[in-house]
Amino acid sequence: MRASHRMVAGLLGVMLVTSGCSGGGEDEATVSAYTAHLKEPVDLIPGQTNETQGSTVANLLFAGLTTYRDGGERPANLVAKSLETTDNKTWRVTLRPGWKFHNGEPVTAESFVGAWTATVRHGWRNAYFFTDLLRIKGADQVGPGKEGSELAGLDVVSDTEFTITLDAPNANLPLIVGYTAFYPVPESVLQSEKWDEYRQKPIGNGQYLMAEGWRHDEYIKLAKNTEYAGPDPGKADEITFRIYAKPNDAYSDAVAGNLDVATVPPSRLVSAPQDFPDRYLTTPGSTFVFLGMPLWRKGYKDVRVRRAISMAIDREQIAATLFNKTVDPAHGLVSPLIERGRRDGPCGDACRFRPVAAKELLDEAGGVPGDELVLWYDTGAGHEDWVEAVANQLRRNLRVRVRLHGQPWARYPDLTTEHKVTGPYRLGWAMDYPAAENYLTPLYSTGGSANGTGYSNNKVDELLAKGNAAKSPSAGVPSLHAAEDQILRDMPVVPLWFAKNPYVHSSRVGNLDYDGLGYLEYDQAEVTG
């Protein structure tokens, strides 16, 4: 749902297999290979890739300045040798030597500066990171319909050094530049600008390279990059992402023995531990699931209506009965994965199940528009059962008519961002980088990249800016807490839960682990049998 950042459509799964590669006689070699399932990505160009499906592939094809693999909220340098600053406003970036793209070109300062500039100049989906989040000097003067062509705040000093100058201090820069939007692009591609060709077979600098062109709605095949310059090289020789339209189909393949690892769809969460005894696991997840409120519609402008809807939902019951406790009921806006800045229960009574108080509050507000609540959601991603459960609770506890309105994912993001939905609507958000601020600024700042509700509060904007301008990420936490408190009082969204990542696997697969964002580390998975 995200038309920007990492809005999530549904579930993701993988399977691993071992295949033989015949070279004949004594030269015959065994190739370790596995296939993983995805929904069809939106794009694979770093400046355009801002959702979970495309990012899953891009994170294997590219390596950024920093990484969250081990550091989480304290990122480790990767392509960057150092990121230095004295004021959090001007940063000097020095690159490690020896990094190359898959085509043999060296990774240079221009590879980063040129890629970032192209993202802003073309107005791609991730331009927000440069213009509004980091606020690189001069970025607001560049873009479609604007006269500028270069970002004044980016200056190439040498092949291995460049500087970044911001309009305002931002202590989170080392965290932010590890995100997909900040990956480098080869200078030859920047000069040719053959972007349609590049998106079909991106040339990166990561652990894996494109083995062939992207076969849309079929598969994306990757091969191990034997020249990878960083730590933790890929373990499998090949990864093929098989594109599934429905997560249940992938799970069925796993049950049949055709998949070695798969994510469990909601409809199979209760049976999965029995289907795969001793081979069912969950990893922490960053996905925040919530109901967006259509603040542009008269009836939903009243905060009492929004709070009544929130208090009429029994999150704990749904978590236990439908999700087999693979989600944590949300009583705030920041994921439990975030150590620096998360809190227990800042939402208070507004996120507790209080059906009597909810009905009284709704009556006080005059009810829902037209005496009917239309609940919107995207189909084909496993949401149907829990959306129906929420609808039943709203019917029972608020005593209103509730109608479900499902839409295919291909249309759903546009319907929400263009304000064409007529009632509360399902949204999912997975963090771009591990910081509490990333759960607040995109979704609730005025004009934020994922602010689909149209919410705007000057006090929130000021507090978020103050948090970013603090001397360190830790020093900015009190401002972020104050911003979260105000957002929860206004309740532009109804928090539901934070999802974990449930997997099942065969006895042939080992070393399944997750990174600082809670995602499976596809590059480190091993075929053991």
Side-chain angles (χ1 to χ4, degrees), residues 10-330:
L11 298 167
L12 186 66
V14 298
M15 95 168 157
L16 289 86
V17 299
T18 301
S19 61
C21 212
S22 61
E26 297 179 355
D27 295 328
E28 184 172 344
T30 299
V31 176
S32 64
Y34 72 84
T35 60
H37 88 263
L38 290 176
K39 289 175 72 73
E40 172 79 353
V42 174
D43 210 312
L44 294 180
I45 297 176
Q48 286 275 54
T49 305
N50 57 7
E51 42 79 41
T52 52
Q53 312 305 297
S55 295
T56 295
V57 179
N59 291 342
L60 296 170
L61 294 175
F62 295 89
L65 293 173
T66 59
T67 177
Y68 315 122
R69 182 179 294 276
D70 299 316
E73 295 170 72
R74 296 163 181 80
N77 290 339
L78 187 56
V79 180
K81 180 179 180 180
S82 63
L83 293 158
E84 300 174 312
T85 185
T86 58
D87 58 4
N88 289 331
K89 186 175 180 180
T90 299
W91 296 76
R92 177 174 288 269
V93 180
T94 303
L95 305 181
R96 298 182 192 274
W99 280 86
K100 293 182 179 180
F101 287 102
H102 302 149
N103 63 355
E105 289 185 43
V107 177
T108 66
E110 181 59 31
S111 305
F112 287 94
V113 170
W116 300 1
T117 301
T119 298
V120 178
R121 189 172 65 248
H122 292 289
W124 286 338
R125 295 180 183 90
N126 286 330
Y128 161 87
F129 280 92
F130 308 96
T131 58
D132 298 319
L133 182 58
L134 275 184
R135 294 177 59 194
I136 293 177
K137 184 178 179 181
D140 58 348
Q141 304 300 314
V142 178
K146 298 180 180 179
E147 295 183 359
S149 60
E150 303 294 333
L151 278 62
L154 297 179
D155 184 33
V156 174
V157 179
S158 69
D159 281 350
T160 58
E161 292 185 40
F162 67 98
T163 59
I164 308 169
T165 302
L166 311 179
D167 284 333
N170 193 324
N172 284 314
L173 184 140
L175 271 172
I176 296 171
V177 297
Y179 177 57
T180 312
F182 297 88
Y183 288 156
V185 171
E187 290 188 45
S188 61
V189 177
L190 295 171
Q191 292 168 5
S192 70
E193 292 215 320
K194 294 181 179 179
W195 298 113
D196 287 339
E197 178 181 313
Y198 184 67
R199 67 169 39 90
Q200 303 308 316
K201 195 174 182 181
I203 300 167
N205 61 322
Q207 295 115 308
Y208 286 85
L209 53 87
M210 294 287 288
E212 58 182 82
W214 176 5
R215 297 290 295 271
H216 291 273
D217 297 311
E218 294 184 36
Y219 63 84
I220 296 172
K221 186 174 183 179
L222 309 181
K224 183 177 180 179
N225 175 19
T226 58
E227 303 296 323
Y228 178 64
D232 303 314
K235 294 185 180 296
D237 295 320
E238 295 179 355
I239 305 174
T240 300
F241 286 93
R242 186 179 299 166
I243 297 171
Y244 283 81
K246 299 178 181 179
N248 279 328
D249 291 345
Y251 186 82
S252 295
D253 277 352
V255 172
N258 299 322
L259 293 177
D260 284 315
V261 183
T263 296
V264 185
S267 62
R268 306 302 293 269
L269 286 171
V270 174
S271 65
Q274 288 73 47
D275 292 340
F276 293 84
D278 302 321
R279 291 180 281 112
Y280 170 78
L281 60 97
T282 60
T283 65
S286 71
T287 301
F288 174 42
V289 179
F290 55 95
L291 294 179
M293 295 290 108
L295 303 183
W296 58 89
R297 291 182 63 83
K298 183 178 180 180
Y300 293 99
K301 291 181 180 179
D302 192 328
V303 69
R304 294 173 296 179
V305 173
R306 306 195 293 269
R307 289 181 180 175
I309 292 172
S310 179
M311 293 189 295
I313 298 172
D314 190 343
R315 299 158 175 80
E316 281 71 18
Q317 182 188 58
I318 292 176
T321 59
L322 290 183
F323 288 101
N324 200 25
K325 297 184 179 180
T326 57
V327 300
D328 294 320

Side-chain angles (χ1 to χ4, degrees), residues 388-410:
E388 182 63 51
V390 168
N392 287 334
Q393 290 183 353
L394 295 175
R395 292 186 186 104
R396 180 173 61 251
N397 299 322
L398 296 179
R399 293 195 285 279
V400 297
R401 294 196 307 273
V402 179
R403 178 164 55 90
L404 299 182
H405 197 122
Q407 290 288 318
W409 175 252

Side-chain angles (χ1 to χ4, degrees), residues 418-432:
E418 295 173 8
H419 294 177
K420 293 181 180 179
V421 298
T422 58
Y425 52 100
R426 188 213 76 89
L427 287 176
W429 173 264
M431 63 182 170
D432 302 315

